[in-house]
Amino acid sequence: MIAMFLAASVLDQARETADTFGFDWKIFFSQVISFVIVALVLRRFAYKPILAVLEERRQRIAEGLLNAEKIKQQLAEAEQRHAEILAKANAQAQKMIDEARESSGRLVERKQQEAVTAAEQIMAKAREAAALERERTMAEMKRELGRLVVDTTAKVTGKVLTAEDQKRLQEEAARQLA
């Protein structure tokens, strides 16, 4: 009995408070239904597409980072090949120099002068050949680096680069390498 009296008292006070503040159950439920409809529409047509775009962007960034890592590895391999080529050329040049020195030691004084002259010519040719090989290798590396930069830039930005953009990127990469 007391519980019913308390419940009736609480309901009366709730009605008085609702009347004081102008609360209307019909308007309240219509607003709740409107809110649910708007929330569902926004979820379907705004929230999900935005999440899809963000996920796609995250994946492209991850791919770009992987491509950058691959390019670093390729550049390291190219530098290693370049160092090997230079070492081989230097070894061959040194071998030629050593052979020229040995043969010049066995000749008489008159022949010794001719051997020294020939050795100097061989050294100059070896240096020239090494310099030409280095220049050719550097030019090849610049072209390859330029191509890789253009490919990576095209993949990361997701657009097709014009011939002018490609040329500009290749020149910048070549300048930075030099």
Side-chain angles (χ1 to χ4, degrees):
M1 176 87 161
I2 293 176
M4 286 190 357
F5 178 70
L6 285 175
S9 173
V10 169
L11 284 174
D12 286 340
Q13 284 182 353
R15 281 190 196 119
E16 284 179 27
T17 304
D19 290 340
T20 303
F21 288 105
F23 182 77
D24 187 4
W25 285 100
K26 293 177 185 176
I27 293 174
F28 176 74
F29 285 124
S30 68
Q31 288 177 346
V32 167
I33 291 170
S34 295
F35 176 78
V36 169
I37 291 171
V38 168
L40 290 174
V41 168
L42 285 176
R43 182 173 178 224
R44 174 162 176 123
F45 295 109
Y47 186 66
K48 284 185 180 180
I50 288 172
L51 286 180
V53 167
L54 290 176
E55 179 63 23
E56 180 183 336
R57 180 176 282 171
R58 184 193 62 76
Q59 288 176 354
R60 282 193 300 184
I61 289 171
E63 288 174 8
L65 291 175
L66 287 175
N67 287 337
E69 187 62 34
K70 287 178 185 176
I71 289 172
K72 283 181 184 178
Q73 289 175 348
Q74 290 174 352
L75 181 59
E77 291 172 2
E79 288 175 354
Q80 182 180 4
R81 285 192 307 259
H82 176 259
E84 289 172 0
I85 291 170
L86 285 178
K88 191 182 277 186
N90 286 337
Q92 289 175 350
Q94 188 62 41
K95 184 178 176 183
M96 288 181 193
I97 291 169
D98 291 343
E99 288 174 1
R101 285 182 182 163
E102 288 176 13
S103 66
S104 67
R106 288 183 240 133
L107 296 176
V108 282
E109 190 172 306
R110 185 174 65 95
K111 293 292 181 176
Q112 187 176 10
Q113 287 297 330
E114 293 174 6
V116 168
T117 305
E120 289 175 356
Q121 290 176 353
I122 291 172
M123 286 175 46
K125 287 180 182 178
R127 286 187 189 122
E128 187 177 301
L132 288 174
E133 180 64 25
R134 182 182 184 282
E135 288 178 18
R136 185 188 67 75
T137 303
M138 287 300 289
E140 181 179 317
M141 284 178 57
K142 286 179 184 179
R143 283 192 304 273
E144 181 66 20
L145 180 63
R147 185 189 65 75
L148 291 172
V149 166
V150 168
D151 290 345
T152 302
T153 303
K155 287 179 181 175
V156 169
T157 59
K159 69 175 192 175
V160 177
L161 298 176
T162 64
E164 183 180 312
D165 288 341
Q166 290 179 3
K167 183 178 180 184
R168 180 180 51 80
L169 286 172
Q170 287 176 345
E171 288 174 359
E172 286 178 14
R175 270 186 270 142
Q176 288 178 0
L177 187 61

